[in-house]
Structure formats: C-alpha cells, structure tokens
Amino acid sequence: MKTHHDTGTGNRYTKLAQAMAGTPYASRQADYAACEAQNPDFAQATFSTEPRDANASDEDKAAVLKYAQDARAKGFDWIADPSGEHPLTIVIPNTVPEEDVRRFFQECPVNDVPVIIGWEGDYPYDTFAVQQAAH
C-alpha cells in the first residue's frame, strides 16, 4: 500500500504507514495503518511516470504561461513561469505560507486553464487540503 505525496518535481509514495512519520501527513498515520490492517492485499494503482504535460499543445503552453503572468500581476511574485520540461506545471514553493497559497487559489482560479499545480518538497501544512478547499 502506498500513499501519494505530490512534490512538484516528482511524486513521493509512502509504501507503509510508518513512513508517514515526520511528514505533513503524520496526523493520518494511524488511519492509514488501520486501513492497511483492514485491507492487507490492497495495492495502489501504478502511476504513469510520463508527465501529463509531455505532449502539451502550443495553445495550452501559452495559456499556462499567461496564467503565471496574471498571477504575478496580482502580487503572487513567487509564481514562476512553467519550465520548458514541464510547460503546464506551476510549482507552489514550500516557503510560501499556507494563507498566501489559499489566497492564491481564491484570486487565481484555474477555470479552464490546463495548469498542473506542483508541490515541491515538504510543507508545514496539508497541501491536498489547501488545494481541495479551493475547488
């Protein structure tokens, strides 16, 4: 059994509950261990290692670049342009406080922009909960 932590530059998977200790997901460790005990034969689905933005169209790349530029124009100067390797990915730096990230999601809704929100490193808050609250 694995749990998924999106880190932006790649995904980190936790195979067992005890590996969650010391992460932002440590509060869920007991629940995850109970799930493991109830479902000993469960296995997570295999995730593709090919980035979703590998075959992005020029139109989609331009839309995500404009999204990043618009976010900076609204004062979110920590939003960088997507990289050439990941042209649809906007990375939320782990140095940005939770309240600023929540404000970003409120003021910069994704709508129909094919942006992929990336999370890089460890965060002092639950990134999944922050992103879900925006939807």
Side-chain angles (χ1 to χ4, degrees):
M1 182 180 256
K2 297 178 184 176
T3 189
H4 166 255
H5 308 283
D6 187 352
T7 63
T9 59
N11 296 313
R12 184 173 71 190
Y13 297 91
T14 302
K15 190 168 185 171
L16 300 171
Q18 57 263 42
M20 296 172 85
T23 74
Y25 303 94
S27 65
R28 297 187 178 142
Q29 188 174 4
D31 292 336
Y32 199 78
C35 180
E36 287 174 331
Q38 290 176 346
N39 303 286
D41 296 326
F42 176 80
Q44 291 281 19
T46 302
F47 292 95
S48 170
T49 57
E50 181 177 324
R52 290 184 291 165
D53 52 1
N55 299 311
S57 70
D58 288 342
E59 181 181 346
D60 286 350
K61 291 175 187 178
V64 173
L65 177 59
K66 183 174 181 338
Y67 177 84
Q69 293 168 340
D70 290 349
R72 284 195 302 277
K74 290 181 180 182
F76 300 99
D77 59 349
W78 42 267
I79 295 291
D81 287 344
S83 71
E85 187 175 323
H86 298 285
L88 301 183
T89 302
I90 300 294
V91 176
I92 307 294
N94 62 357
T95 56
V96 178
E98 178 178 354
E99 58 273 7
D100 291 350
V101 176
R102 288 183 182 276
R103 189 171 58 83
F104 163 72
F105 282 125
Q106 289 174 349
E107 294 182 24
C108 302
V110 172
N111 296 328
D112 294 329
V113 179
V115 66
I116 299 167
I117 301 297
W119 303 91
E120 187 172 297
D122 290 326
Y123 293 77
Y125 51 88
D126 185 338
T127 58
F128 181 77
V130 170
Q131 194 167 355
Q132 290 305 305
H135 299 290

